[in-house]
Amino acid sequence: MSKRIGIIVGSLRENSFNQMIANSIPELVDSAEFEYISIADLPLYNADLDLGEGPDPVKHYREAIRKTDGILIVSPEYNSGIPGVLKNALDWASTPTKSAVLINKPAGVIGATPGVKGTILSQQQIRQTLDATQSYVMPAQKMYISQITDKIDSITRKLTDESTRKYLQRYVQSFVQWINQVQRLNE
Ligand SMILES: Cc1cc2nc3c(=O)[nH]c(=O)nc-3n(C[C@H](O)[C@H](O)[C@H](O)COP(=O)(O)O)c2cc1C
């Protein structure tokens, strides 16, 4: 059966490059189903609100993650680190401690920037957070997209750079295999 992969984008910006990268994934990989999981309506994390199933947007967000076989995070880097909106979203997915939706969840990390360092520092922090949530972050393989403005069509705003498209395709195909490996480990 084909795997169901949730995509979480760490930018709320309408013309986000990372959202654009996320949008190109389904056309590159047909061996999985993809679903975008929005973090835009989540409140700021507050343990006083984190009772029972939590506020409605949190409940829907957690349920969406629970239904997936794995999640791909596609995120920018802010001030050499993880964007606050993404950290907030991962914190909401990390509770309740013993039954959180990220426990044992296969996860992959992708990032794009107009800069030259490809979101390396942000990805380190995202991996550190996912590690704390007991997710299974795909090891070794990394997906850093630098100088994104040179790799898209400025009018259609689609990813046109052929080597980046192949890199993204290979990364996501490997992620599908990673989901299979983690599922076998947890059988
Ligand atoms: C507050 C702020 C901090 C930023 N810090 C970094 C950074 O540390 N490294 C980097 O590569 N880009 C940084 N940028 C530039 C972003 O990579 C750029 O705005 C990018 O387009 C954001 O991703 P998006 O297009 O998906 O929204 C920063 C942007 C903002 C607004």
Side-chain angles (χ1 to χ4, degrees), residues 11 13 16-18 76-80 113-114:
S11 169
R13 201 168 74 85
S16 160
F17 292 119
N18 285 278
E77 174 175 289
Y78 278 178
N79 295 309
S80 305
T113 172

Side-chain angles (χ1 to χ4, degrees), residues 6 30 36 38 46 53 66 68 79-80 85 93 96 100 128 144 155 159 161 183 186:
D30 58 13
Y36 297 92
S38 172
N46 177 345
E53 293 178 318
R66 193 181 301 284
T68 66
N79 295 309
S80 305
V85 288
Q128 192 177 355
Y144 303 129
I155 294 163
L159 179 66
D161 181 68
Q183 287 181 341
N186 285 316

Side-chain angles (χ1 to χ4, degrees), residues 72-139:
L72 280 173
I73 311 274
V74 187
S75 179
E77 174 175 289
Y78 278 178
N79 295 309
S80 305
I82 185 171
V85 288
L86 177 62
K87 180 64 165 62
N88 185 57
L90 294 178
D91 289 342
W92 274 118
S94 72
T95 59
T97 317
K98 290 192 175 147
S99 58
V101 290
L102 287 179
I103 295 174
N104 290 345
K105 187 69 73 182
V109 188
I110 295 167
T113 172
V116 292
K117 292 194 177 157
T119 76
I120 293 174
L121 297 171
S122 169
Q123 291 198 30
Q124 281 174 359
Q125 291 187 356
I126 295 168
R127 284 173 170 266
Q128 192 177 355
T129 300
L130 288 170
D131 188 48
T133 66
Q134 301 177 58
S135 308
Y136 285 98
V137 188
M138 183 161 70

Side-chain angles (χ1 to χ4, degrees), residues 3 69 103-107 134-139 176-187:
K3 302 298 176 201
D69 295 301
I103 295 174
N104 290 345
K105 187 69 73 182
Q134 301 177 58
S135 308
Y136 285 98
V137 188
M138 183 161 70
V176 175
Q177 287 170 20
W178 175 241
I179 292 175
N180 285 326
Q181 279 175 263
V182 172
Q183 287 181 341
R184 277 199 296 275
L185 196 71
N186 285 316
E187 270 168 12

